[in-house]
């Protein structure tokens, strides 16, 4: 197993601990490109790694009273339903070979990675440019919250992304949660969504438990480091730097899968 992969696994946890999201954005590329795991398998592994790591990270926020349980229920129910439907029905329905043009063959694995790359680019923009909307300008909108929950659940189910970069703005802007409470609530929601998605994936996959547990352990060490650093460093200051890194990674994946493969 690659030492570079182990180092990247630590940063999966550090990202979750510092900014409450971004872990899955690192997890899938790490598994695919550094450990040579197939994209479909990588999405399932990502759900487990990010789910367990987020659950561990959420404990410190829970002890500090920085998790809003009502928000977790409002967001969590539609998200979990969407994860179940996506992993059980939508993902298996995608054909292994989608289309071919000459020597170019678009496969299911390629589609998942390209979708993931597009998501990375969207996430990078939100990290680099997004500004928090003043609380006085926000309306509490249940239909929009329901839509956000379903959307995040579909993304989690398809590509193993916890959706923290989408959850935190929604929790702050739609539910008016303070930033630290939004981060803690996001970690709880990521763990619920991700572990639910993994459970629904188990019947379809052969799991390498030794490998999966070792990477998960390293990511847990990372989130403990990140949670400690969050008391010293404001995660918001690091988001733009992380956003530029995610942007470069997203562009690289698109180029690799379409032009360099």
């Amino acid at each position: 197993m690659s030492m570079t992969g182990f180092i990247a696994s630590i940063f999966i946890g550090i990202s979750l601990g510092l900014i409450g999201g971004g872990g899955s954005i690192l997890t899938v590329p790490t598994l695919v490109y550094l450990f040579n795991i197939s994209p479909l398998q990588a999405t399932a592994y990502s759900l487990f790694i990010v789910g367990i790591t987020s659950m561990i990270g959420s404990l410190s926020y829970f002890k500090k009273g920085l998790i809003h349980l009502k928000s977790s229920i409002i967001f969590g129910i539609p998200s979990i339903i969407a994860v179940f439907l996506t992993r059980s029905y939508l993902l298996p329905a995608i054909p292994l070979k989608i289309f071919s043009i000459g020597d170019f063959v678009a496969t299911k694995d390629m589609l998942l990675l390209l979708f993931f790359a597009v998501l990375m680019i969207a996430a990078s923009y939100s990290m680099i440019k997004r500004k928090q909307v003043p609380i006085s300008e926000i309306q509490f909108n249940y239909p929009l919250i329901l839509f956000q929950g379903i959307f995040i659940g579909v993304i989690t189910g398809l590509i193993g992304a916890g959706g923290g970069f989408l959850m935190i703005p929604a929790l702050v802007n739609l539910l008016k949660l303070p930033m630290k409470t939004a981060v803690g609530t996001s970690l709880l929601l990521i763990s619920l969504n991700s572990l639910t998605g993994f459970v629904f994936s188990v019947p379809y996959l052969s799991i390498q438990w030794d490998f999966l547990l070792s990477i998960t352990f390293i990511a847990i060490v990372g989130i403990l480091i990140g949670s400690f650093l969050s008391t010293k460093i404001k995660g918001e200051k690091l988001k733009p730097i992380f956003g530029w890194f995610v942007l470069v990674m997203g562009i690289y994946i698109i180029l690799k899968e379409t032009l360099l493969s």
Side-chain angles (χ1 to χ4, degrees):
M1 287 185 280
S2 167
M3 180 58 67
T4 306
F6 281 124
I7 294 171
S9 300
I10 293 176
F11 281 98
I12 291 167
I14 290 175
S15 168
L16 285 165
L18 269 177
I19 62 177
S24 54
I25 288 175
L26 296 175
T27 307
V28 172
T30 295
L31 292 171
V32 171
Y33 297 118
L34 298 181
F35 289 111
N36 297 316
I37 304 294
S38 73
L40 184 60
Q41 191 95 346
T43 64
Y45 281 13
S46 174
L47 290 171
F48 183 84
I49 295 165
V50 174
I52 294 293
T53 308
S54 299
M55 182 176 65
I56 298 297
S58 69
L59 293 178
S60 64
Y61 285 88
F62 183 78
K63 291 176 182 177
K64 297 173 185 175
L66 294 175
I67 291 180
H68 196 272
L69 294 178
K70 182 179 178 182
S71 299
S72 301
I73 294 171
I74 293 171
F75 246 97
I77 291 176
S79 288
I80 288 173
I81 293 172
V83 169
F84 165 71
L85 294 175
T86 302
R87 294 303 291 191
S88 300
Y89 299 102
L90 178 58
L91 196 58
I94 301 174
L96 295 178
K97 179 180 176 181
I98 300 171
F99 67 88
S100 60
I101 302 175
D103 294 332
F104 178 81
V105 179
T107 64
K108 182 176 185 176
D109 284 348
M110 180 187 292
L111 175 67
L112 292 176
L113 284 173
L114 289 177
F115 184 48
F116 193 89
V118 171
L119 183 70
M120 291 177 76
I121 292 171
S124 71
Y125 178 81
S126 71
M127 291 174 182
I128 295 167
K129 295 292 186 182
R130 184 182 294 275
K131 295 181 180 179
Q132 184 173 323
V133 179
I135 295 299
S136 59
E137 297 180 11
I138 301 166
Q139 298 296 319
F140 195 81
N141 191 324
Y142 275 108
L144 190 55
I145 293 167
L146 178 66
F147 173 79
Q148 285 268 13
I150 293 171
F151 178 65
I152 291 169
V154 171
I155 288 176
T156 300
L158 271 179
I159 57 176
F165 74 95
L166 291 171
M167 284 184 193
I168 291 175
L171 291 170
V172 172
N173 295 341
L174 298 179
L175 295 176
K176 307 180 182 180
L177 297 184
M179 179 56 71
K180 283 193 175 294
T181 304
V183 170
T185 305
S186 170
L187 288 173
L188 177 62
L189 287 166
I190 290 170
S191 67
L192 291 174
N193 279 359
S194 298
L195 292 175
T196 300
F198 178 76
V199 169
F200 295 146
S201 302
V202 168
Y204 306 100
L205 298 171
S206 175
I207 308 295
Q208 303 172 44
W209 284 106
D210 289 346
F211 169 77
L212 182 56
L213 291 174
S214 65
I215 298 300
T216 303
F217 175 77
I218 294 170
I220 289 171
V221 172
I223 201 168
L224 295 176
I225 295 171
S227 297
F228 171 76
L229 291 176
S230 69
T231 64
K232 311 293 182 182
I233 306 170
K234 289 187 177 180
E236 287 297 306
K237 292 183 178 180
L238 298 178
K239 269 193 175 182
I241 298 171
F242 187 68
W244 283 110
F245 172 74
V246 169
L247 176 62
V248 171
M249 283 294 299
I251 293 171
Y252 169 78
I253 290 173
I254 291 175
L255 293 176
K256 187 174 191 329
E257 294 302 317
T258 57
L259 300 178
L260 304 178
S261 58

